[in-house]
Amino acid sequence: MKKYFKKTLFYSLLAILVYFLFEVGGGEQRHRLIQGVWNLGHIVLFMLLSIAYLNTDQLNKRSLVVKVSVVTLASLILGTATEAIQLLVQREFSINDIANDLIGAYLGLLIHFITNKTKTTTSRYGASMLALLFLSIGFRDFAVTAMDEIALYDDFPVLASFESDAEIERWEFVDVYAVHDEKFSVSGNYSLKVDYLPAIYPAISLVHIKPDWRGYDQLSLSIYSLNKQDIPFEIKVHDKFHTRSQGGYNDRFNKNITLKQGWNFIKIPISEIASSPQERFMDMSKINKISLFTHKLLKPTTLYIDDIRLM
């Protein structure tokens, strides 16, 4: 009865993990730390699958070489297949997920080895150290994200200074090429060099952001233009309500500006942002996106963006 209960619990956990990994949407709209934990589910799932498979009579008594070969081949095939299936439920094919699948499978193999009391203490200790190494690799992305999330709150009310590569992960890019660059800056040593490509609305958007802007008077940012000609430019800000309700143009803040050659220092009153939706006031405690974009470019245009902050 006890053995049956353990098997039922084990396979129930597997079913739950599979459901959440394949759920439509996959958590993409959630906080990035939650998304990071979500992605770690690949490691847990393949670790459990590996343990279950290695404990079958078919493999339990095979050599270590055979076990490693089977686990590697099976996880690569199954991992690739699951990513292909996820394309059918509006998810992206991810090489990183396949890597996490493989890490999880190897962790299962190492746990299988460590719990085998017929192995020597030295070999089990070595396997434990190797398991810790795989764990650290598996948590690599989550650790970087967590550290940047701490920096995001520590730097506030500075929203973007572009002093580190990790900070760029707070942004989304559409029809642009962006890299942090030290040629022009007004604060620190770096700015974000953005090559806006010919497209209808090439844009960069800050989507990982401290949401509470209450108590501040202005949104300030600096943009350097290399172009001798004036460039039409637009700034968009909206809150969570706008995102969830899929509000239109009149339910957010939109500001058209003209960029001159050289530095453009832009200051926008917070009161103007708050009152911008036509039928409501924007929730300044739940701001969740700033977009900086131009439109209908005929040729690539390079801008340097720096020192986005609340004042």
Side-chain angles (χ1 to χ4, degrees), residues 195-214:
D195 295 322
Y196 286 86
L197 306 177
I200 298 177
Y201 291 110
I204 66 171
S205 298
L206 181 60
V207 293
H208 299 295
I209 186 173
K210 185 175 179 180
D212 194 348
W213 289 16
R214 294 173 298 179

Side-chain angles (χ1 to χ4, degrees), residues 23-298:
E23 181 190 12
V24 176
E28 283 87 348
Q29 301 304 319
R30 298 171 185 170
H31 192 282
R32 60 176 174 165
L33 287 179
I34 297 176
Q35 179 64 34
V37 173
W38 184 288
N39 291 335
L40 293 176
H42 285 267
I43 295 176
V44 177
L45 175 61
F46 274 73
M47 179 185 72
L48 294 175
L49 288 172
S50 179
I51 292 172
Y53 193 30
L54 289 167
N55 283 326
T56 60
D57 294 336
Q58 183 181 2
L59 273 182
N60 193 26
K61 296 181 180 180
R62 293 297 186 94
S63 68
L64 181 60
V65 172
V66 171
K67 290 178 179 178
V68 171
S69 300
V70 170
V71 164
T72 301
L73 185 61
S75 60
L76 285 174
I77 293 173
L78 184 58
T80 302
T82 55
E83 289 305 307
I85 292 171
Q86 286 181 98
L87 290 173
L88 302 177
V89 291
Q90 300 176 353
R91 298 280 303 279
E92 292 183 357
F93 189 99
S94 173
I95 297 297
N96 190 62
D97 285 348
I98 295 176
N100 283 339
D101 295 339
L102 195 58
I103 288 170
Y106 286 149
L107 279 171
L109 175 62
L110 289 166
I111 291 171
H112 173 77
F113 186 91
I114 293 165
T115 55
N116 187 342
K117 295 182 179 180
T118 64
K119 304 297 181 182
T120 65
T121 301
T122 301
S123 62
R124 291 166 68 189
Y125 177 79
S128 299
M129 294 300 100
L130 191 56
L132 287 175
L133 175 61
F134 275 107
L135 272 176
S136 65
I137 295 173
F139 276 77
R140 65 201 182 281
D141 293 334
F142 181 79
V144 170
T145 299
M147 290 176 65
D148 187 59
E149 194 68 21
I150 293 171
L152 185 156
Y153 278 80
D154 285 344
D155 293 343
F156 192 80
V158 175
L159 302 177
S161 62
F162 306 108
E163 293 301 301
S164 69
D165 285 328
E167 192 177 331
I168 297 178
E169 298 302 317
R170 303 174 193 173
W171 294 77
E172 290 179 349
F173 304 101
V174 177
D175 295 320
V176 303
Y177 175 76
V179 63
H180 82 301
D181 188 274
E182 57 184 342
K183 188 173 183 179
F184 299 100
S185 67
V186 294
S187 176
N189 298 316
Y190 294 91
S191 62
L192 185 69
K193 178 184 178 183
V194 185
D195 295 322
Y196 286 86
L197 306 177
I200 298 177
Y201 291 110
I204 66 171
S205 298
L206 181 60
V207 293
H208 299 295
I209 186 173
K210 185 175 179 180
D212 194 348
W213 289 16
R214 294 173 298 179
Y216 294 92
D217 297 321
Q218 292 182 327
L219 170 64
S220 172
L221 64 153
S222 303
I223 303 177
Y224 188 91
S225 173
L226 295 173
N227 295 270
K228 295 180 179 179
Q229 295 181 337
D230 293 349
I231 299 174
F233 198 74
E234 189 164 346
I235 300 170
K236 177 176 71 177
V237 179
H238 61 72
D239 58 6
K240 286 187 178 180
F241 179 86
H242 176 86
T243 301
R244 290 172 178 172
S245 64
Q246 297 182 337
Y249 183 87
N250 294 324
D251 188 61
R252 65 187 186 225
F253 171 79
N254 306 279
K255 187 175 184 65
N256 294 298
I257 60 176
T258 300
L259 298 178
K260 306 289 185 180
Q261 185 179 22
W263 280 109
N264 297 261
F265 300 103
I266 302 159
K267 297 185 185 300
I268 303 168
I270 294 296
S271 59
E272 184 180 332
I273 297 174
S275 61
S276 54
Q278 281 190 356
E279 298 181 357
R280 65 183 181 94
F281 281 97
M282 191 176 296
D283 188 345
M284 299 309 294
S285 69
K286 295 181 180 179
I287 300 299
N288 70 341
K289 189 173 186 178
I290 306 172
S291 294
L292 309 174
F293 59 98
T294 184
H295 43 84
K296 296 181 181 179
L297 290 176
L298 298 179

